[in-house]
Every structure is written in C-alpha cells, then in structure tokens.
Amino acid sequence: MSILEVEHISKSFNKTEALRDISFSLEKGQAVSIIGSSGSGKTTLLRCLNFLETPDKGIIRVNGETLFDADNPATRAESAIRKKRLHFGLVFQSFNLFPQYTALENVMLAKELLAKEQPDYKTRKKEIHAEIQSLSESLLSQMGLDNRKDSYPHQLSGGQCQRVAIARALALNPDILCFDEPTSALDPELTGEVLRVIKELADHDTTMVIVTHEMAFAKDVADHVIFMDGGSIVEQGDPVQIFENPAEERTQRFLGTG
Amino acid sequence: MDRIFEQMPVVISSLNIGFIQTLKLFFVTLLGAFPLGLLIAFGSMSHFRPLSYFSKFVVWIIRGTPLMIQLLIIYYFPGLVLHNPVWGGGEAGRFLAASVSFILNYACYFSEIYRGGIQGVPVGQEEAGLVLGMTKSQIFFKVTLLQMIKRIVPPMSNEIITLVKDTSLARIIALQEIIWAGQAFMKGSHGISGAIWPLFFTAVYYLIFNGILTVLLGRLEKKLNYFR
C-alpha cells in the first residue's frame, strides 16, 4: 500500500487555477521530485499537503487513512487539522527558523509543546525533556552541526540554517518530509551541503516530496519524478526516463532536450 | 541669585507635589493606553469591515486633532454643552478628564505601533509553527510575541518620552501638575510672587525623568538584541 495517495486535487485562488486534477502516489521510503517552472503549482501542492492551503477538490490519504476529502466536511474541521499536519514535515525555501531561539531550541520547541499533551508529562517532565534534548542533539549532529547547536539563526550561514530547519522537521518524525525549493535562497556554494544532507536522508529511506530547481539533484535523489506545468501534471515517471527520454513535448522544452 | 537660594526650599517642595501629579497622569495613561491600544489595533486589522472602519475613523480623528483641543472638549463639553458635568468638580474631576483624554489619545498612537509590530512579523513564522503542529495560541506566545515586542520597543520608547512632556498640556484644564505649580509663583504662592524662575526650573524635572526613562528603555532594547 502506498504511504501517500493524492487523488484529483484542484485548487483555485480567486479565478486563477493553481492546481488542476493532481494525482500521484508515493511508496514508503521513496523520494519524489517535483520539477517545473515557477508558477506551475509545485509550491501550492506542497502547501496543500501540509494543510496550509485547503484544496477545493480531491482526496489526500496517508497510510490508507483519509486525511482530507473535499466532499467530506468532517475532514475539513480546523480542530482536526493540527494533528493531521504531523504526518507531514515541511522545509521552507526561506528556512523560517524562529530567530529568538538557538538552533537546539528551534529543534526542540514543537516536540516539547506536544509532549505537554501526554498524560504522563507532569510525572516524567525531566525525563521527557532529557529525551527530547538528546534526540535533538543527535539530529543536529547528523546534520553536521555539532558545534553550532547554541548559535542563534542570525549567527548561522544560510546552509546551516536550512540544515537546522531540516532537523527541526525531522524531530517530529513525520511520515513524509516535504521540501519546498530548499536551496533556492542559498548561495551556490552553500547549496551542496544542503543537497548532501537530503541525499543522505534519501539513502536512509526517508519518504520525501522534493520541489526543486536543481535538475541534476532531482534526477539523482528521486525514485519518481513529476513534471508540472500550469497547475497540471504533464508527465510523471522514472527519473531516467523523464530526464533522458521525456515523452511530452512540454517536458522536452523545459529540460532543453527537445 | 541670593533670593533664588532663599526661595529654593519652598519652590522645590511645591514643584515636587506638582510633579507627583505629572507622574500619576503619566503612569495612568500608560496603564490604560497599552491595553486599549491593542484593542484598537485588533479592531483596525479586523476582517469585519464596520469594526475596522470604525477603528480607523477614531484613529483618524484623534491623530488628526491637537491633544490640547481634545482635553478641552473632553473636560468642558459634558458640563457646558450637555449640562451634565460627568467629571465632578475639583482636582479629582480634572485628573479623571485628563486621564481619559490622554489614554484615548495615546491608545490611538500605540495602536498604529502595535499594528506595525504585528504585521511586521513574517507570515512564514506562523506557517512554520503550524506545520510543526503548534496551536494558534502556542504560536502567538512562543513564536511571534517576542518578535513583535522587539519591533515595537524603539517606536514605543519615542512615544513614552513624548508622553512625559505632553502631560504638561493638562495645564490647560488647570490640572495641578508641575507646570501649574511652577506658574503659581508668578502670581503668588507660598508667600512668593513675581518669580518666573520656578517655571523655567520645571524643565529640569522633565529632563531628569526622561534621562532615566531613556536609560531603562535603552537597556530593554539592548536585551532584545540577542536575536534578529
């Protein structure tokens, strides 16, 4: 069974159709790259998966559970959405780290707040805190940030910030980790360190949806590639096929292989 | 010069009493205008049109007219025009009317500062909180609030220092604050008359008090400088 099933998602802003009839699925441990020009709807799709936008039509299923069904008002209730979001993690283009917290505090904050909802929180407070701290420290060291955990975001480079943001998303152990052009705000020389980290996650079978403009990376990291244009999926399939032998004329033009 | 030294003890003790009234008006205004300003800010940012128009209309009136006129209207209008002197007589009535005028006036200025502070926090901060499963109130208290405070401290400091000096406008309705107390020595008070130096000397009080405020607010600003 697929870990993620997206069926017939559509979304309009006023009269502009941002997404038209988007369907795809993803297997556990696989990575999908979404490519396409700016304004093709890639980011809107990720925002729908993370419930930052509400699709007008369609269904989103994770592990067979229907998280969203536009025809079923019960799945649209604001109160239920918060827990549903936890199935997904999202790494933003502009990091969106919390500036008043250190790298470590950024990674720990959400998990600590969630822990407060556990029934045994009061009795195991110290223990839980220590667990979250050691988990967060190990995530930061996995990101190569051992010696930067007490730095504030403004003291870190863009690449370091993005790696903190990745650790922050991983701390909640999401089923599916989404990346929204994670290197677009970075200097070219900082891009590599972030891509390397994402590649490592892929090698460790992290389930990921990656929106990117880095074509070589998209081909290298993904098990499946989706090419979008004008809010629709033009073509999707195996990375080698899409990049080396695209079927659609629009894809050929985008990749410059036509 | 000798005469000034002779008069000094009497004048200082009288000015001190006036300055206490000045300080009372200052703190009461802050206490009232901080929360009222927040309400007006939320009002003008509301998606409910009538409320946002009303808030913006009030802010326009208050910021568009002199505080001195507002003081005069608020103090005299109920008694002289409506024949219903709601403020009561004496110093207590004048203080009440002055407090209401200052709170309303300063709340409008504060509301614009709050609005700038709230809207100045990037929307990505809230979105980051949402995707991490935080509730709206957790996002407000743990993420955005401190960033707003950091943004509003410098413009707030400006307004607070202006308020110290603006309290002197309450002289126009004869509130017995420090300007009133200093002026009294011109006509005659405590056996001293024809002395203008006590009025000039009130400036020292404002200067010292604002000096202290500047240092304190500067420290607060510095304290929030650990992040950007």
Side-chain angles (χ1 to χ4, degrees), chain A residues 163-175:
Chain A
R163 285 182 281 150
V164 174
I166 294 170
R168 180 174 73 169
L170 286 170
L172 296 177
N173 199 19
D175 294 319

Side-chain angles (χ1 to χ4, degrees), chain A residues 22-219:
Chain A
I22 301 289
S23 299
F24 70 96
S25 64
L26 183 60
E27 302 301 316
K28 190 170 166 52
Q30 296 212 316
V32 57
S33 289
I34 304 179
I35 58 171
S37 48
S38 299
S40 59
K42 310 181 300 290
T43 294
T44 307
L45 177 56
L46 279 198
R47 291 174 63 84
C48 284
L49 292 180
N50 285 275
F51 301 96
L52 292 175
E53 306 287 353
T54 311
D56 303 325
K57 290 181 203 149
I59 295 172
I60 298 170
R61 256 186 237 113
V62 171
N63 288 324
E65 180 194 351
T66 304
L67 296 189
F68 177 87
D69 180 349
D71 294 329
N72 179 358
T75 64
R76 309 180 64 144
E78 188 63 39
S79 54
I81 285 177
R82 188 167 73 92
K83 293 282 177 204
K84 292 177 186 173
R85 283 198 176 102
L86 293 173
H87 289 287
F88 296 89
L90 177 59
V91 174
F92 297 86
Q93 181 178 344
S94 50
F95 331 135
N96 294 342
L97 290 181
F98 305 133
Q100 71 267 46
Y101 295 117
T102 63
L104 182 63
E105 289 166 344
N106 262 280
V107 179
M108 293 175 67
L109 180 66
K111 190 133 179 112
E112 296 245 29
L113 292 172
L114 279 171
K116 285 186 184 170
E117 295 170 28
Q118 292 174 17
D120 60 347
Y121 178 74
K122 283 214 168 99
T123 49
R124 292 185 54 233
K125 209 169 175 174
K126 278 205 175 126
E127 229 175 298
I128 290 174
H129 177 82
E131 279 167 19
I132 294 173
Q133 178 158 351
S134 86
L135 167 83
S136 303
E137 281 171 343
S138 75
L139 281 170
L140 283 173
S141 87
Q142 189 188 332
M143 296 295 131
L145 293 166
D146 268 316
N147 46 6
R148 300 319 300 265
K149 64 186 165 67
D150 296 320
S151 302
Y152 288 94
H154 77 270
Q155 299 165 323
L156 299 172
S157 72
Q160 290 170 331
C161 282
Q162 195 58 297
R163 285 182 281 150
V164 174
I166 294 170
R168 180 174 73 169
L170 286 170
L172 296 177
N173 199 19
D175 294 319
I176 300 145
L177 185 54
C178 303
F179 293 85
D180 183 13
E181 300 186 24
T183 58
S184 294
L186 299 177
D187 294 337
E189 53 187 318
L190 300 177
T191 303
E193 65 186 58
V194 171
L195 296 184
R196 215 171 306 126
V197 162
I198 301 172
K199 176 73 174 129
E200 268 174 40
L201 292 174
D203 293 342
H204 287 91
D205 293 335
T206 310
T207 313
M208 296 188 286
V209 179
I210 306 163
V211 167
T212 182
H213 285 302
E214 302 280 336
M215 292 306 139
F217 174 71
K219 183 182 172 188

Side-chain angles (χ1 to χ4, degrees), chain B residues 13-68:
Chain B
S13 85
S14 176
L15 292 185
N16 285 349
I17 291 168
F19 194 58
I20 286 172
Q21 193 72 323
T22 295
L23 289 180
K24 263 171 68 188
L25 182 59
F26 171 77
F27 284 112
V28 165
T29 302
L30 286 187
L31 230 58
F34 279 145
L36 183 62
L38 201 55
L39 282 183
I40 298 172
F42 285 136
S44 57
M45 286 186 296
S46 166
H47 293 296
F48 181 59
R49 287 280 177 77
L51 181 60
S52 82
Y53 285 148
F54 176 73
S55 305
K56 283 175 183 165
F57 181 74
V58 171
V59 171
W60 173 61
I61 296 282
I62 295 291
R63 293 204 309 171
T65 56
L67 175 52
M68 190 187 278

Side-chain angles (χ1 to χ4, degrees), chain B residues 11-226:
Chain B
V11 169
I12 295 284
S13 85
S14 176
L15 292 185
N16 285 349
I17 291 168
F19 194 58
I20 286 172
Q21 193 72 323
T22 295
L23 289 180
K24 263 171 68 188
L25 182 59
F26 171 77
F27 284 112
V28 165
T29 302
L30 286 187
L31 230 58
F34 279 145
L36 183 62
L38 201 55
L39 282 183
I40 298 172
F42 285 136
S44 57
M45 286 186 296
S46 166
H47 293 296
F48 181 59
R49 287 280 177 77
L51 181 60
S52 82
Y53 285 148
F54 176 73
S55 305
K56 283 175 183 165
F57 181 74
V58 171
V59 171
W60 173 61
I61 296 282
I62 295 291
R63 293 204 309 171
T65 56
L67 175 52
M68 190 187 278
I69 304 288
Q70 293 162 19
L71 267 163
L72 290 170
I73 292 176
I74 287 175
Y75 184 54
Y76 289 116
F77 192 82
L80 294 184
V81 180
L82 303 176
H83 306 293
N84 178 19
V86 292
W87 306 119
E91 183 67 1
R94 289 189 289 270
F95 184 78
L96 199 57
S99 301
V100 169
S101 312
F102 273 81
I103 288 172
L104 189 58
N105 184 279
Y106 270 80
C108 286
Y109 284 95
F110 288 175
S111 78
E112 288 297 288
I113 294 175
Y114 287 139
R115 201 160 66 94
I118 292 168
Q119 292 175 341
V121 177
V123 64
Q125 291 290 306
E126 186 185 346
E127 289 182 349
L130 287 175
V131 298
L132 290 168
M134 294 187 202
T135 64
K136 292 255 180 182
S137 84
Q138 285 171 341
I139 292 170
F140 180 75
F141 287 108
K142 298 283 180 182
V143 177
T144 44
L145 181 62
L146 194 62
Q147 297 181 48
M148 283 173 204
I149 292 174
K150 182 183 169 69
R151 278 180 170 76
I152 67 174
V153 166
M156 267 306 187
S157 303
N158 249 330
E159 288 298 321
I160 289 170
I161 281 165
T162 304
L163 171 61
V164 173
K165 295 167 291 175
D166 272 1
T167 54
S168 62
L169 290 168
R171 168 70 189 88
I172 200 72
I173 59 167
L175 184 78
Q176 294 171 12
E177 43 69 75
I178 189 169
I179 298 283
W180 181 92
Q183 232 179 353
F185 290 102
M186 294 169 72
K187 282 179 288 180
S189 166
H190 301 83
I192 299 170
S193 65
I196 190 132
W197 76 266
L199 181 57
F200 295 167
F201 191 72
T202 58
V204 175
Y205 282 76
Y206 292 105
L207 202 56
I208 291 174
F209 187 56
N210 266 337
I212 295 168
L213 282 180
T214 305
V215 170
L216 291 179
L217 291 165
R219 270 195 204 161
L220 179 61
E221 203 176 321
K222 219 171 176 181
K223 233 183 173 159
L224 291 170
N225 257 350
Y226 76 91

